Amino acid sequence: MLWLSVVIMRTTSRTARALVTAALTLPVVGLVTACGQPAGPGDNDGRSGPDVSTTAATSPTATGAGGATTPGAQPTPVVVPPVTQGDVTLSATMGVGFAQYPDDPGIRRTPGLVVEYTVRNSGTESLVVHDRVPGDLGSSTLPDQIDPEHAWVYMAGDVLRVSKQGFEPTVAFFAAPVTGARQIPAGGMLAGRAVVNVPVELDVPSEEFDAPRSPIETSGAGRVWQFCLHVEPRSAEAHPSTADPDVLVAPVSAPEPGELLCTAPTPLVLP
């Protein structure tokens, strides 16, 4: 850029100054555009989620209205030890990140708690994973659109629990309530995500279901959180959803002993 400096020093006409200003402006705009280009998320459509990896991925970029972006580095996700119950193994990474659903570039996203998980079935029978959780329970049908990242949030003692599971009804429904699930075949694997908004709030079904309702506690030293997943044999009543054949319409019930897999509590780091 030396020649530009010389021109500025020797030129006094307004025309020359305008030309120099334009020449200086063009490279700057190009630099901002290149530096502000957000890194695209991994190869994931938000339905099945990425495979768990021990390598931390680049955090997605928060997107604002009009295409504005707010990039920001987040703490490295923690790879928690796998949990095995019978023929089922749950692996997960837990940390801070951004929701991927809905896939709309006009939505402004803020960081929250994110779990990315995989479930493996090493047995010889198909199983059902209750990980397509509607916003509430009680209906005998599933909504056409279910947030695949939604999970219940409650306190299990002193542990903040993020869980995809069923709960036992406390009343008799005229029509049996249902929830969303996915089938994992013998020897198969599936992956998914759970996202919790910050500040963290209690998120459980209505009082027609037996669910923990203690106030959420996230402040103070030594806070921990865990992720849980409800996995059980496929019932005869489970059937494919008309809106999404990959989602099963399954009866709502609380997990039997050994059907709720939970990671070991890990330190809670909020964004």
Side-chain angles (χ1 to χ4, degrees), residues 53-103:
S53 172
T54 55
T55 303
T58 302
S59 299
T61 301
T63 305
T69 57
T70 309
Q74 300 298 334
T76 302
V78 176
V79 180
V80 297
V83 180
T84 300
Q85 290 272 15
D87 296 325
V88 183
T89 298
L90 170 65
S91 303
T93 59
M94 303 170 62
V96 174
F98 294 87
Q100 296 179 355
Y101 180 89
D103 185 12

mmCIF file of all heavy atoms in Angstrom, residues 53-103:
data_model
loop_
_atom_site.group_PDB
_atom_site.id
_atom_site.type_symbol
_atom_site.label_atom_id
_atom_site.label_comp_id
_atom_site.label_asym_id
_atom_site.label_seq_id
_atom_site.Cartn_x
_atom_site.Cartn_y
_atom_site.Cartn_z
ATOM 1 N N SER A 53 -17.776 -37.392 19.208
ATOM 2 C CA SER A 53 -16.367 -37.359 18.870
ATOM 3 C C SER A 53 -15.594 -36.785 20.027
ATOM 4 O O SER A 53 -16.086 -35.957 20.773
ATOM 5 C CB SER A 53 -16.141 -36.496 17.617
ATOM 6 O OG SER A 53 -14.767 -36.297 17.389
ATOM 7 N N THR A 54 -14.368 -37.222 20.188
ATOM 8 C CA THR A 54 -13.527 -36.674 21.239
ATOM 9 C C THR A 54 -12.879 -35.380 20.805
ATOM 10 O O THR A 54 -12.213 -34.721 21.577
ATOM 11 C CB THR A 54 -12.414 -37.681 21.608
ATOM 12 O OG1 THR A 54 -11.685 -38.021 20.419
ATOM 13 C CG2 THR A 54 -13.015 -38.943 22.205
ATOM 14 N N THR A 55 -13.066 -34.972 19.559
ATOM 15 C CA THR A 55 -12.533 -33.717 19.069
ATOM 16 C C THR A 55 -13.615 -32.660 19.133
ATOM 17 O O THR A 55 -14.696 -32.841 18.605
ATOM 18 C CB THR A 55 -12.057 -33.850 17.613
ATOM 19 O OG1 THR A 55 -11.093 -34.894 17.554
ATOM 20 C CG2 THR A 55 -11.458 -32.543 17.123
ATOM 21 N N ALA A 56 -13.334 -31.536 19.782
ATOM 22 C CA ALA A 56 -14.336 -30.488 19.914
ATOM 23 C C ALA A 56 -14.568 -29.840 18.565
ATOM 24 O O ALA A 56 -13.633 -29.446 17.874
ATOM 25 C CB ALA A 56 -13.857 -29.431 20.920
ATOM 26 N N ALA A 57 -15.827 -29.698 18.195
ATOM 27 C CA ALA A 57 -16.171 -29.049 16.934
ATOM 28 C C ALA A 57 -16.249 -27.553 17.134
ATOM 29 O O ALA A 57 -16.441 -27.062 18.249
ATOM 30 C CB ALA A 57 -17.508 -29.572 16.424
ATOM 31 N N THR A 58 -16.105 -26.806 16.035
ATOM 32 C CA THR A 58 -16.254 -25.364 16.108
ATOM 33 C C THR A 58 -17.679 -25.025 16.466
ATOM 34 O O THR A 58 -18.611 -25.557 15.893
ATOM 35 C CB THR A 58 -15.901 -24.733 14.746
ATOM 36 O OG1 THR A 58 -14.571 -25.113 14.407
ATOM 37 C CG2 THR A 58 -15.993 -23.215 14.815
ATOM 38 N N SER A 59 -17.864 -24.113 17.417
ATOM 39 C CA SER A 59 -19.203 -23.755 17.838
ATOM 40 C C SER A 59 -19.937 -23.086 16.695
ATOM 41 O O SER A 59 -19.364 -22.263 15.986
ATOM 42 C CB SER A 59 -19.140 -22.795 19.029
ATOM 43 O OG SER A 59 -18.496 -23.418 20.110
ATOM 44 N N PRO A 60 -21.237 -23.404 16.493
ATOM 45 C CA PRO A 60 -22.003 -22.721 15.474
ATOM 46 C C PRO A 60 -22.057 -21.232 15.755
ATOM 47 O O PRO A 60 -21.834 -20.783 16.870
ATOM 48 C CB PRO A 60 -23.397 -23.358 15.581
ATOM 49 C CG PRO A 60 -23.162 -24.661 16.276
ATOM 50 C CD PRO A 60 -21.985 -24.439 17.169
ATOM 51 N N THR A 61 -22.398 -20.455 14.741
ATOM 52 C CA THR A 61 -22.446 -19.020 14.864
ATOM 53 C C THR A 61 -23.873 -18.574 15.135
ATOM 54 O O THR A 61 -24.803 -19.009 14.481
ATOM 55 C CB THR A 61 -21.940 -18.365 13.565
ATOM 56 O OG1 THR A 61 -20.606 -18.800 13.342
ATOM 57 C CG2 THR A 61 -21.971 -16.853 13.668
ATOM 58 N N ALA A 62 -24.058 -17.682 16.104
ATOM 59 C CA ALA A 62 -25.384 -17.146 16.369
ATOM 60 C C ALA A 62 -25.803 -16.300 15.190
ATOM 61 O O ALA A 62 -25.042 -15.472 14.697
ATOM 62 C CB ALA A 62 -25.353 -16.302 17.648
ATOM 63 N N THR A 63 -27.035 -16.477 14.730
ATOM 64 C CA THR A 63 -27.508 -15.785 13.548
ATOM 65 C C THR A 63 -28.622 -14.841 13.926
ATOM 66 O O THR A 63 -29.568 -15.216 14.600
ATOM 67 C CB THR A 63 -28.021 -16.787 12.497
ATOM 68 O OG1 THR A 63 -26.982 -17.721 12.232
ATOM 69 C CG2 THR A 63 -28.422 -16.081 11.221
ATOM 70 N N GLY A 64 -28.538 -13.608 13.450
ATOM 71 C CA GLY A 64 -29.559 -12.618 13.739
ATOM 72 C C GLY A 64 -30.383 -12.300 12.527
ATOM 73 O O GLY A 64 -30.156 -12.796 11.427
ATOM 74 N N ALA A 65 -31.390 -11.445 12.709
ATOM 75 C CA ALA A 65 -32.266 -11.061 11.615
ATOM 76 C C ALA A 65 -31.466 -10.354 10.538
ATOM 77 O O ALA A 65 -30.507 -9.635 10.804
ATOM 78 C CB ALA A 65 -33.368 -10.147 12.151
ATOM 79 N N GLY A 66 -31.855 -10.561 9.288
ATOM 80 C CA GLY A 66 -31.159 -9.925 8.193
ATOM 81 C C GLY A 66 -29.819 -10.545 7.909
ATOM 82 O O GLY A 66 -28.997 -9.966 7.201
ATOM 83 N N GLY A 67 -29.542 -11.716 8.451
ATOM 84 C CA GLY A 67 -28.284 -12.394 8.176
ATOM 85 C C GLY A 67 -27.151 -11.964 9.068
ATOM 86 O O GLY A 67 -26.015 -12.361 8.864
ATOM 87 N N ALA A 68 -27.413 -11.104 10.066
ATOM 88 C CA ALA A 68 -26.350 -10.676 10.965
ATOM 89 C C ALA A 68 -25.857 -11.858 11.775
ATOM 90 O O ALA A 68 -26.621 -12.729 12.161
ATOM 91 C CB ALA A 68 -26.867 -9.585 11.903
ATOM 92 N N THR A 69 -24.567 -11.898 12.051
ATOM 93 C CA THR A 69 -24.003 -13.010 12.790
ATOM 94 C C THR A 69 -23.255 -12.526 14.014
ATOM 95 O O THR A 69 -22.729 -11.408 14.039
ATOM 96 C CB THR A 69 -23.032 -13.823 11.908
ATOM 97 O OG1 THR A 69 -22.015 -12.946 11.415
ATOM 98 C CG2 THR A 69 -23.776 -14.446 10.740
ATOM 99 N N THR A 70 -23.231 -13.360 15.028
ATOM 100 C CA THR A 70 -22.503 -13.052 16.256
ATOM 101 C C THR A 70 -21.677 -14.253 16.640
ATOM 102 O O THR A 70 -22.098 -15.076 17.451
ATOM 103 C CB THR A 70 -23.479 -12.699 17.393
ATOM 104 O OG1 THR A 70 -24.398 -11.707 16.933
ATOM 105 C CG2 THR A 70 -22.729 -12.164 18.602
ATOM 106 N N PRO A 71 -20.491 -14.427 16.034
ATOM 107 C CA PRO A 71 -19.683 -15.598 16.345
ATOM 108 C C PRO A 71 -19.098 -15.495 17.741
ATOM 109 O O PRO A 71 -18.892 -14.419 18.266
ATOM 110 C CB PRO A 71 -18.586 -15.563 15.276
ATOM 111 C CG PRO A 71 -18.462 -14.119 14.919
ATOM 112 C CD PRO A 71 -19.848 -13.543 15.051
ATOM 113 N N GLY A 72 -18.831 -16.640 18.339
ATOM 114 C CA GLY A 72 -18.212 -16.630 19.653
ATOM 115 C C GLY A 72 -17.735 -18.005 20.037
ATOM 116 O O GLY A 72 -18.453 -18.987 19.854
ATOM 117 N N ALA A 73 -16.523 -18.078 20.561
ATOM 118 C CA ALA A 73 -15.992 -19.364 21.006
ATOM 119 C C ALA A 73 -16.673 -19.778 22.299
ATOM 120 O O ALA A 73 -16.995 -18.947 23.144
ATOM 121 C CB ALA A 73 -14.489 -19.254 21.209
ATOM 122 N N GLN A 74 -16.918 -21.072 22.450
ATOM 123 C CA GLN A 74 -17.562 -21.602 23.639
ATOM 124 C C GLN A 74 -16.640 -22.628 24.290
ATOM 125 O O GLN A 74 -15.724 -23.145 23.655
ATOM 126 C CB GLN A 74 -18.896 -22.253 23.272
ATOM 127 C CG GLN A 74 -19.891 -21.310 22.623
ATOM 128 C CD GLN A 74 -20.307 -20.162 23.532
ATOM 129 O OE1 GLN A 74 -20.257 -20.290 24.755
ATOM 130 N NE2 GLN A 74 -20.700 -19.053 22.945
ATOM 131 N N PRO A 75 -16.865 -22.911 25.585
ATOM 132 C CA PRO A 75 -16.020 -23.909 26.256
ATOM 133 C C PRO A 75 -16.051 -25.249 25.533
ATOM 134 O O PRO A 75 -17.061 -25.629 24.933
ATOM 135 C CB PRO A 75 -16.656 -24.023 27.651
ATOM 136 C CG PRO A 75 -17.396 -22.743 27.843
ATOM 137 C CD PRO A 75 -17.875 -22.339 26.487
ATOM 138 N N THR A 76 -14.952 -25.949 25.570
ATOM 139 C CA THR A 76 -14.858 -27.249 24.918
ATOM 140 C C THR A 76 -15.813 -28.240 25.574
ATOM 141 O O THR A 76 -15.826 -28.388 26.793
ATOM 142 C CB THR A 76 -13.427 -27.798 25.023
ATOM 143 O OG1 THR A 76 -12.526 -26.867 24.417
ATOM 144 C CG2 THR A 76 -13.320 -29.149 24.323
ATOM 145 N N PRO A 77 -16.657 -28.935 24.778
ATOM 146 C CA PRO A 77 -17.577 -29.926 25.359
ATOM 147 C C PRO A 77 -16.811 -31.030 26.088
ATOM 148 O O PRO A 77 -15.688 -31.371 25.743
ATOM 149 C CB PRO A 77 -18.316 -30.472 24.137
ATOM 150 C CG PRO A 77 -18.177 -29.434 23.082
ATOM 151 C CD PRO A 77 -16.844 -28.797 23.320
ATOM 152 N N VAL A 78 -17.459 -31.588 27.106
ATOM 153 C CA VAL A 78 -16.869 -32.658 27.899
ATOM 154 C C VAL A 78 -17.358 -33.999 27.367
ATOM 155 O O VAL A 78 -18.565 -34.215 27.209
ATOM 156 C CB VAL A 78 -17.249 -32.514 29.385
ATOM 157 C CG1 VAL A 78 -16.720 -33.695 30.194
ATOM 158 C CG2 VAL A 78 -16.716 -31.196 29.941
ATOM 159 N N VAL A 79 -16.423 -34.886 27.069
ATOM 160 C CA VAL A 79 -16.786 -36.243 26.670
ATOM 161 C C VAL A 79 -16.950 -37.063 27.941
ATOM 162 O O VAL A 79 -15.979 -37.321 28.654
ATOM 163 C CB VAL A 79 -15.703 -36.863 25.759
ATOM 164 C CG1 VAL A 79 -16.105 -38.275 25.346
ATOM 165 C CG2 VAL A 79 -15.469 -35.996 24.538
ATOM 166 N N VAL A 80 -18.189 -37.451 28.241
ATOM 167 C CA VAL A 80 -18.453 -38.184 29.483
ATOM 168 C C VAL A 80 -18.252 -39.681 29.250
ATOM 169 O O VAL A 80 -18.379 -40.166 28.121
ATOM 170 C CB VAL A 80 -19.879 -37.902 29.994
ATOM 171 C CG1 VAL A 80 -20.039 -36.438 30.344
ATOM 172 C CG2 VAL A 80 -20.916 -38.307 28.967
ATOM 173 N N PRO A 81 -17.933 -40.426 30.286
ATOM 174 C CA PRO A 81 -17.744 -41.874 30.125
ATOM 175 C C PRO A 81 -19.023 -42.541 29.629
ATOM 176 O O PRO A 81 -20.122 -42.192 30.074
ATOM 177 C CB PRO A 81 -17.371 -42.347 31.536
ATOM 178 C CG PRO A 81 -16.856 -41.129 32.233
ATOM 179 C CD PRO A 81 -17.628 -39.983 31.674
ATOM 180 N N PRO A 82 -18.916 -43.505 28.726
ATOM 181 C CA PRO A 82 -20.105 -44.220 28.247
ATOM 182 C C PRO A 82 -20.805 -44.955 29.394
ATOM 183 O O PRO A 82 -20.184 -45.364 30.367
ATOM 184 C CB PRO A 82 -19.543 -45.200 27.213
ATOM 185 C CG PRO A 82 -18.209 -44.638 26.826
ATOM 186 C CD PRO A 82 -17.691 -43.941 28.044
ATOM 187 N N VAL A 83 -22.111 -45.116 29.239
ATOM 188 C CA VAL A 83 -22.929 -45.827 30.223
ATOM 189 C C VAL A 83 -23.559 -47.030 29.530
ATOM 190 O O VAL A 83 -24.135 -46.899 28.447
ATOM 191 C CB VAL A 83 -24.031 -44.912 30.787
ATOM 192 C CG1 VAL A 83 -24.885 -45.668 31.803
ATOM 193 C CG2 VAL A 83 -23.434 -43.670 31.412
ATOM 194 N N THR A 84 -23.460 -48.200 30.136
ATOM 195 C CA THR A 84 -24.015 -49.419 29.550
ATOM 196 C C THR A 84 -25.004 -50.057 30.509
ATOM 197 O O THR A 84 -24.718 -50.245 31.698
ATOM 198 C CB THR A 84 -22.907 -50.427 29.202
ATOM 199 O OG1 THR A 84 -22.019 -49.833 28.252
ATOM 200 C CG2 THR A 84 -23.501 -51.691 28.594
ATOM 201 N N GLN A 85 -26.193 -50.361 29.988
ATOM 202 C CA GLN A 85 -27.199 -51.125 30.721
ATOM 203 C C GLN A 85 -27.613 -52.286 29.821
ATOM 204 O O GLN A 85 -28.208 -52.077 28.764
ATOM 205 C CB GLN A 85 -28.431 -50.255 31.030
ATOM 206 C CG GLN A 85 -28.182 -49.169 32.054
ATOM 207 C CD GLN A 85 -28.419 -49.668 33.469
ATOM 208 O OE1 GLN A 85 -28.506 -50.865 33.721
ATOM 209 N NE2 GLN A 85 -28.514 -48.738 34.411
ATOM 210 N N GLY A 86 -27.264 -53.491 30.204
ATOM 211 C CA GLY A 86 -27.591 -54.633 29.363
ATOM 212 C C GLY A 86 -26.919 -54.533 28.008
ATOM 213 O O GLY A 86 -25.697 -54.443 27.912
ATOM 214 N N ASP A 87 -27.738 -54.515 26.946
ATOM 215 C CA ASP A 87 -27.213 -54.460 25.585
ATOM 216 C C ASP A 87 -27.126 -53.044 25.032
ATOM 217 O O ASP A 87 -26.812 -52.853 23.856
ATOM 218 C CB ASP A 87 -28.097 -55.294 24.649
ATOM 219 C CG ASP A 87 -28.095 -56.777 25.003
ATOM 220 O OD1 ASP A 87 -27.038 -57.258 25.442
ATOM 221 O OD2 ASP A 87 -29.157 -57.425 24.855
ATOM 222 N N VAL A 88 -27.406 -52.048 25.869
ATOM 223 C CA VAL A 88 -27.485 -50.667 25.387
ATOM 224 C C VAL A 88 -26.337 -49.848 25.968
ATOM 225 O O VAL A 88 -26.067 -49.905 27.166
ATOM 226 C CB VAL A 88 -28.829 -50.023 25.776
ATOM 227 C CG1 VAL A 88 -28.929 -48.616 25.197
ATOM 228 C CG2 VAL A 88 -29.992 -50.878 25.305
ATOM 229 N N THR A 89 -25.677 -49.067 25.091
ATOM 230 C CA THR A 89 -24.599 -48.182 25.525
ATOM 231 C C THR A 89 -24.908 -46.754 25.095
ATOM 232 O O THR A 89 -25.194 -46.495 23.917
ATOM 233 C CB THR A 89 -23.251 -48.606 24.934
ATOM 234 O OG1 THR A 89 -22.931 -49.924 25.395
ATOM 235 C CG2 THR A 89 -22.138 -47.656 25.363
ATOM 236 N N LEU A 90 -24.873 -45.841 26.036
ATOM 237 C CA LEU A 90 -25.090 -44.419 25.790
ATOM 238 C C LEU A 90 -23.759 -43.683 25.891
ATOM 239 O O LEU A 90 -23.064 -43.788 26.900
ATOM 240 C CB LEU A 90 -26.079 -43.845 26.810
ATOM 241 C CG LEU A 90 -26.239 -42.320 26.846
ATOM 242 C CD1 LEU A 90 -26.836 -41.809 25.538
ATOM 243 C CD2 LEU A 90 -27.104 -41.905 28.049
ATOM 244 N N SER A 91 -23.406 -42.963 24.835
ATOM 245 C CA SER A 91 -22.209 -42.118 24.823
ATOM 246 C C SER A 91 -22.646 -40.677 24.573
ATOM 247 O O SER A 91 -23.607 -40.441 23.822
ATOM 248 C CB SER A 91 -21.230 -42.561 23.736
ATOM 249 O OG SER A 91 -20.860 -43.918 23.895
ATOM 250 N N ALA A 92 -21.949 -39.717 25.180
ATOM 251 C CA ALA A 92 -22.395 -38.326 25.040
ATOM 252 C C ALA A 92 -21.259 -37.347 25.241
ATOM 253 O O ALA A 92 -20.272 -37.640 25.926
ATOM 254 C CB ALA A 92 -23.516 -38.036 26.041
ATOM 255 N N THR A 93 -21.409 -36.184 24.613
ATOM 256 C CA THR A 93 -20.603 -35.015 24.939
ATOM 257 C C THR A 93 -21.556 -33.970 25.481
ATOM 258 O O THR A 93 -22.695 -33.839 25.016
ATOM 259 C CB THR A 93 -19.861 -34.449 23.708
ATOM 260 O OG1 THR A 93 -20.808 -34.088 22.702
ATOM 261 C CG2 THR A 93 -18.891 -35.469 23.155
ATOM 262 N N MET A 94 -21.107 -33.213 26.487
ATOM 263 C CA MET A 94 -21.959 -32.230 27.154
ATOM 264 C C MET A 94 -21.208 -30.919 27.270
ATOM 265 O O MET A 94 -20.040 -30.893 27.651
ATOM 266 C CB MET A 94 -22.373 -32.746 28.534
ATOM 267 C CG MET A 94 -23.083 -34.095 28.486
ATOM 268 S SD MET A 94 -23.341 -34.861 30.118
ATOM 269 C CE MET A 94 -24.393 -33.653 30.913
ATOM 270 N N GLY A 95 -21.882 -29.835 26.926
ATOM 271 C CA GLY A 95 -21.219 -28.548 26.997
ATOM 272 C C GLY A 95 -22.146 -27.414 26.610
ATOM 273 O O GLY A 95 -23.365 -27.484 26.769
ATOM 274 N N VAL A 96 -21.549 -26.351 26.087
ATOM 275 C CA VAL A 96 -22.276 -25.148 25.677
ATOM 276 C C VAL A 96 -22.275 -25.082 24.153
ATOM 277 O O VAL A 96 -21.272 -25.357 23.511
ATOM 278 C CB VAL A 96 -21.626 -23.887 26.278
ATOM 279 C CG1 VAL A 96 -22.285 -22.621 25.740
ATOM 280 C CG2 VAL A 96 -21.705 -23.922 27.801
ATOM 281 N N GLY A 97 -23.415 -24.742 23.590
ATOM 282 C CA GLY A 97 -23.504 -24.645 22.133
ATOM 283 C C GLY A 97 -24.792 -23.976 21.722
ATOM 284 O O GLY A 97 -25.436 -23.273 22.511
ATOM 285 N N PHE A 98 -25.203 -24.226 20.479
ATOM 286 C CA PHE A 98 -26.378 -23.578 19.915
ATOM 287 C C PHE A 98 -27.360 -24.613 19.380
ATOM 288 O O PHE A 98 -26.965 -25.691 18.931
ATOM 289 C CB PHE A 98 -25.978 -22.638 18.771
ATOM 290 C CG PHE A 98 -25.161 -21.459 19.214
ATOM 291 C CD1 PHE A 98 -23.782 -21.553 19.316
ATOM 292 C CD2 PHE A 98 -25.764 -20.262 19.542
ATOM 293 C CE1 PHE A 98 -23.017 -20.477 19.722
ATOM 294 C CE2 PHE A 98 -25.016 -19.174 19.956
ATOM 295 C CZ PHE A 98 -23.637 -19.278 20.055
ATOM 296 N N ALA A 99 -28.636 -24.286 19.429
ATOM 297 C CA ALA A 99 -29.656 -25.140 18.836
ATOM 298 C C ALA A 99 -29.487 -25.166 17.322
ATOM 299 O O ALA A 99 -29.023 -24.203 16.717
ATOM 300 C CB ALA A 99 -31.045 -24.626 19.204
ATOM 301 N N GLN A 100 -29.884 -26.275 16.719
ATOM 302 C CA GLN A 100 -29.871 -26.408 15.271
ATOM 303 C C GLN A 100 -31.282 -26.490 14.700
ATOM 304 O O GLN A 100 -31.462 -26.570 13.494
ATOM 305 C CB GLN A 100 -29.072 -27.649 14.865
ATOM 306 C CG GLN A 100 -27.605 -27.562 15.239
ATOM 307 C CD GLN A 100 -26.825 -28.818 14.858
ATOM 308 O OE1 GLN A 100 -27.406 -29.788 14.398
ATOM 309 N NE2 GLN A 100 -25.525 -28.792 15.065
ATOM 310 N N TYR A 101 -32.285 -26.496 15.565
ATOM 311 C CA TYR A 101 -33.679 -26.594 15.128
ATOM 312 C C TYR A 101 -34.448 -25.389 15.663
ATOM 313 O O TYR A 101 -34.256 -24.999 16.812
ATOM 314 C CB TYR A 101 -34.303 -27.887 15.669
ATOM 315 C CG TYR A 101 -35.751 -28.072 15.277
ATOM 316 C CD1 TYR A 101 -36.099 -28.717 14.092
ATOM 317 C CD2 TYR A 101 -36.779 -27.582 16.079
ATOM 318 C CE1 TYR A 101 -37.426 -28.882 13.725
ATOM 319 C CE2 TYR A 101 -38.111 -27.740 15.720
ATOM 320 C CZ TYR A 101 -38.421 -28.387 14.542
ATOM 321 O OH TYR A 101 -39.737 -28.546 14.168
ATOM 322 N N PRO A 102 -35.317 -24.780 14.851
ATOM 323 C CA PRO A 102 -35.528 -25.082 13.430
ATOM 324 C C PRO A 102 -34.407 -24.535 12.563
ATOM 325 O O PRO A 102 -33.683 -23.621 12.971
ATOM 326 C CB PRO A 102 -36.850 -24.379 13.131
ATOM 327 C CG PRO A 102 -36.889 -23.246 14.098
ATOM 328 C CD PRO A 102 -36.218 -23.735 15.354
ATOM 329 N N ASP A 103 -34.270 -25.092 11.376
ATOM 330 C CA ASP A 103 -33.209 -24.692 10.457
ATOM 331 C C ASP A 103 -33.652 -23.444 9.705
ATOM 332 O O ASP A 103 -34.096 -23.506 8.569
ATOM 333 C CB ASP A 103 -32.904 -25.839 9.491
ATOM 334 C CG ASP A 103 -31.724 -25.533 8.587
ATOM 335 O OD1 ASP A 103 -31.017 -24.547 8.868
ATOM 336 O OD2 ASP A 103 -31.522 -26.255 7.593
#
